[in-house]
Amino acid sequence: MWKFTRKFTFPWQKGESAESETSPLLPKADPANREDEVATDDNADQEGTNNGPENRNTKFPHIYRFSPMDYFLKYFLFFCNLLFTALGLVVLGLGMWGLITKESFAQEKIGSIGTDPMLLLVSLGFLLFMLCLTGCVGALRENSCLLKVFSAVVLALIAAQVVMAILVYSLQDQIGNYLRSGMLAAMGRYQDDLDLRFIMDEVQSNLQCCGAETYRDWEVNIYYNCSAPGVLACGVPATCCVDPLENGTVWNSQCGVGALMLDEFTAQTVVFLGGCLGGISRWIEQHEGMIGTVAVVVLGVQMVALFITSRLIESIHWHRYRARRNYYVQGL
């Protein structure tokens, strides 16, 4: 506002200025003194210019332009991370919904929440959401700090996956024992945990197996044990049955009742005798190519993300250095 009034003076201000200059009551400035004042002002302006940008109380403008390739990489990284951020949020929401629906936070169930499959979804969803949100914001705002955090976490995940693959290949026997223990624990809680029940039913029906190593492993369940008083005693779940459908349309949930009292020759006509550990091993052998392809694709996507992030960080630093250098050179 002050600059505007200085540039465009009002008529009465002109009159006052003219009256002041011609007024006999005010002493007129000597021409020599006016020349000295003008010279002093010019010298002051010249000194302010020669001092450079450091003494001008100016702020360095972070203005620079990316190349078309850099812009493509920036927005490609942004949209990819935005997509996976939404995916992570969905997975996190599903996990929390499962925990709340089953009342896993209740006082009597909080002790066994560590073995709840929904906790795995919550952990994966939270990790995916936070990681991709960091990359998304870092790419959009051109924040090299967030991009460095994102690239460091991605690099750590790549290293962890490589180490895990090596351990899985070299410790197959120990992993088989852990898998057997986990499956027996899931069978023991078959009637109490709906998620574990769903997982066991899917594995048994798709792999056409029953139990961990044999169908008699279902004796670990207190409801299917032969000493149990209920109708399920000495039985197995319906997903163990060779033909759980009656006439091909109706699901017979009682087809496995009494299977544990039969000898193997008779039981093989009713239920699958082989355990699911052998079925899982056969499935892995039959799909080795697909598993390897998926692993390579997942690892490749992470390495591409790491490469794009590194390129974007380098480009941001280079353009900022160029802009700062040009700014200081122009100020000299």
Side-chain angles (χ1 to χ4, degrees), residues 149-226:
V149 172
F150 174 76
S151 60
V153 176
V154 171
L155 182 61
L157 288 176
I158 293 174
Q161 292 169 22
V162 173
V163 172
M164 185 178 299
I166 296 175
L167 291 177
V168 168
Y169 182 78
S170 59
L171 301 175
Q172 296 181 11
D173 295 336
Q174 290 83 345
I175 293 176
N177 294 332
Y178 287 127
L179 186 59
R180 180 180 181 276
S181 301
M183 189 169 291
L184 290 176
M187 293 166 60
R189 297 177 55 194
Y190 180 81
Q191 300 291 344
D192 303 325
D193 195 310
L194 296 179
D195 293 327
L196 295 177
R197 181 174 182 172
F198 172 78
I199 293 173
M200 286 300 304
D201 287 342
E202 289 296 314
V203 171
Q204 291 186 146
S205 60
N206 292 325
L207 298 180
Q208 295 183 352
C209 57
C210 186
E213 294 180 337
T214 177
Y215 72 104
R216 293 193 177 276
D217 290 336
W218 277 104
E219 292 183 357
V220 300
N221 188 283
I222 58 175
Y223 298 98
Y224 292 114
N225 192 281
C226 291

Side-chain angles (χ1 to χ4, degrees), residues 67-68 89 97 101 117 119 125 140 160 168 178 238 252 263 278 294 299 307:
S67 65
L89 193 60
W97 174 80
T101 302
L119 189 63
L140 182 63
V168 168
Y178 287 127
N252 183 12
D263 59 276
V294 172
L299 193 63
F307 169 76

Side-chain angles (χ1 to χ4, degrees), residues 14 39 50 71 107 116 118 137 152 154 161 164 191 199 223 244 259 286 290 292 319 327:
K14 292 183 179 179
N50 294 333
Y71 273 116
Q107 186 175 1
D116 197 316
M118 287 297 173
V137 176
V154 171
Q161 292 169 22
M164 185 178 299
Q191 300 291 344
I199 293 173
Y223 298 98
Q286 294 173 359
M290 183 187 68
H319 282 88
Y327 176 75

Side-chain angles (χ1 to χ4, degrees), residues 88-89 91-92 120-132:
L89 193 60
V91 174
L92 177 61
L120 180 61
L121 287 181
V122 171
S123 302
L124 290 178
F126 180 77
L127 176 62
L128 185 62
F129 171 75
M130 293 302 298
L131 175 62
C132 295

Side-chain angles (χ1 to χ4, degrees), residues 102-113:
K102 297 189 303 179
E103 299 180 353
S104 299
F105 297 105
Q107 186 175 1
E108 61 274 7
K109 296 182 179 180
I110 195 67
S112 60
I113 194 174

Side-chain angles (χ1 to χ4, degrees), residues 47 64 70 100 109 117 141 187 243 262 276 278 285 305 324 326:
E47 290 177 0
Y64 45 85
D70 291 333
I100 295 173
K109 296 182 179 180
R141 301 295 300 172
M187 293 166 60
D243 186 16
L262 304 176
C276 293
E285 292 177 358
R324 187 181 294 109
N326 293 337

